[in-house]
Amino acid sequence: VTIGENVQSIGGYAFFYCTDIEDISYNAVSVEDLTRQSNVFYCAGVENSGITVVFGEGVTRVPAYLFYGASNSSPPAITSVTFSSTITEIGNCSFYNSVDIVEIIFNCIELNDFTENSAFYHAGYYTNGVTVIFNEGVTRIPALMFETNYLGGTGRVHLSSVIFATTITEIGVGAFCGVGYLTGELVLPTNLESIGDGAFNYCGYNSVTIPANVSYIGIDSFANMSNLSEININAINANDIPLNSYGEPEGVFFRSGSSAGITVIFGEGVIRVSANLFYDINPPTIVSLTISSTITEIGDNAFSYCDDLNTVSFSGNSQLATIGENAFVGCTNLTSFTIPSSVTLIKSGAFNLCSSLSSVTFQDRTTWRVYTSETASSAYATISSSTLSNTATAARYLTSTYQAYYWRKS
């Protein structure tokens, strides 16, 4: 079936029970939205191996309810959809209950954010999953693209894999939220700059790699990922994560982590660990942390209350200069810690409530003083090198005696 570019209206049940349809070439540029009652392609293509749908260049929008299926047994048997580069809008419920889809290909250069979240409701439900391909030239993935209101239920979009174009720079808010069938390793495109709030919330990935060019990581962007066991962060200088109006954490990795815990690795080239990055009311289950040599600052509250954390390692030739306020507060499973020789400032509360921390090794024990504020000019006390040579005493000073003070090398 070829729908020409001049078609402006498609009647209800127009292709009712056209069971032998194999290909639909859609070129109409101004068809009005349809309704739930239209059922234009009711049961089309059910007698063959499936329908391939291709939207032609020049088409700018997909009408609402175009391929709508009223139930799992009545939709057209679409198996593959290709969207042209000129499409800017995909209408609500346009592929609702397209349970046979196995492939969706996007060439859309300027696709708008979705205002409804059910365009692909139930897509791929009768298959082993849908492969989504974003071809080169695509620069952003719209907000709410595959998100559904049925987190954990049968309404999820059954994506099995996503292939990202290297040209993508932005992933919108909630774009893949609730797509729990996405598993394995999530390697985001190298030119990516922004990850929207909730972008991968409730996804099933067990490994996430955040590339170097990312400057914005949204709230809850990797929340509720119960299979997550590894996070590789290569973002050179990503944003600090804001607290809410009550001063409470918003979080990026809320309630994420496998039963075995998460290993976090910061790659070489990363300059700083963002403030509040892993701070949350229900923090991720981080057990191991590797800080690369190029990191100069661990931001305030970066690992606050990550109470599963038991190992922190620094790469050789560490350039770390600053450990932020409350950076490791409440890390109750942390038993030992090494302060690299490059560190010149440890802010207030950095190791407060680290109840198991019994050994702290200062690689450089000389000229440490504690101050009542970060800007104070006069030291409250001087900590001698011989005192800090006792790792148990150093731990007690950092977690208790002088935990509320600012430690500076003079």
Side-chain angles (χ1 to χ4, degrees), residues 220-232:
D220 285 339
S221 50
F222 301 100
N224 297 294
M225 297 177 69
S226 59
N227 297 325
L228 194 60
S229 61
E230 182 176 280
I231 302 171
N232 296 284

Side-chain angles (χ1 to χ4, degrees), residues 280-352:
D280 220 314
I281 293 173
N282 196 330
T285 59
I286 299 171
V287 295
S288 174
L289 169 64
T290 299
I291 304 291
S292 62
S293 66
T294 52
I295 288 176
T296 60
E297 179 185 359
I298 298 174
D300 297 348
N301 295 300
F303 302 97
S304 290
Y305 298 100
C306 290
D307 50 10
D308 292 294
L309 180 63
N310 58 54
T311 303
V312 178
S313 303
F314 293 91
S315 299
N317 300 315
S318 174
Q319 299 174 41
L320 183 67
T322 301
I323 300 176
E325 288 187 20
N326 302 315
F328 294 95
V329 65
C331 292
T332 55
N333 271 317
L334 200 58
T335 59
S336 65
F337 199 95
T338 297
I339 307 292
S341 59
S342 54
V343 173
T344 58
L345 174 62
I346 303 172
K347 293 186 179 181
S348 171
F351 296 94
N352 187 26

Side-chain angles (χ1 to χ4, degrees), residues 156-378:
R156 284 184 178 179
V157 181
H158 287 239
L159 304 189
S160 59
S161 64
V162 180
I163 299 172
F164 297 99
T166 61
T167 48
I168 290 173
T169 60
E170 178 187 356
I171 297 175
V173 171
F176 298 95
C177 178
V179 187
Y181 304 95
L182 287 171
T183 59
E185 184 178 7
L186 172 60
V187 179
L188 294 166
T190 54
N191 290 308
L192 186 67
E193 299 173 1
S194 177
I195 304 170
D197 296 354
F200 296 95
N201 191 1
Y202 284 100
C203 284
Y205 290 111
N206 55 39
S207 173
V208 170
T209 298
I210 300 174
N213 289 325
V214 171
S215 59
Y216 179 80
I217 303 173
I219 294 165
D220 285 339
S221 50
F222 301 100
N224 297 294
M225 297 177 69
S226 59
N227 297 325
L228 194 60
S229 61
E230 182 176 280
I231 302 171
N232 296 284
I233 298 177
N234 298 313
I236 293 172
N237 193 14
N239 59 299
D240 290 334
I241 310 303
L243 302 176
N244 65 21
S245 58
Y246 299 99
E248 298 169 337
E250 294 284 290
V252 172
F253 296 92
F254 173 81
R255 206 165 56 189
S256 286
S258 68
S259 58
I262 304 171
T263 296
V264 176
I265 301 171
F266 286 87
E268 293 298 319
V270 178
I271 295 173
R272 64 188 298 271
V273 179
S274 302
N276 308 311
L277 182 60
F278 294 100
Y279 180 30
D280 220 314
I281 293 173
N282 196 330
T285 59
I286 299 171
V287 295
S288 174
L289 169 64
T290 299
I291 304 291
S292 62
S293 66
T294 52
I295 288 176
T296 60
E297 179 185 359
I298 298 174
D300 297 348
N301 295 300
F303 302 97
S304 290
Y305 298 100
C306 290
D307 50 10
D308 292 294
L309 180 63
N310 58 54
T311 303
V312 178
S313 303
F314 293 91
S315 299
N317 300 315
S318 174
Q319 299 174 41
L320 183 67
T322 301
I323 300 176
E325 288 187 20
N326 302 315
F328 294 95
V329 65
C331 292
T332 55
N333 271 317
L334 200 58
T335 59
S336 65
F337 199 95
T338 297
I339 307 292
S341 59
S342 54
V343 173
T344 58
L345 174 62
I346 303 172
K347 293 186 179 181
S348 171
F351 296 94
N352 187 26
L353 302 178
C354 291
S355 55
S356 299
L357 187 58
S358 58
S359 176
V360 172
T361 300
F362 280 80
Q363 290 184 337
D364 184 351
R365 300 187 297 272
T366 61
T367 64
W368 279 102
R369 293 178 172 84
V370 296
Y371 298 79
T372 55
S373 71
E374 188 173 353
T375 57
S377 56
S378 299

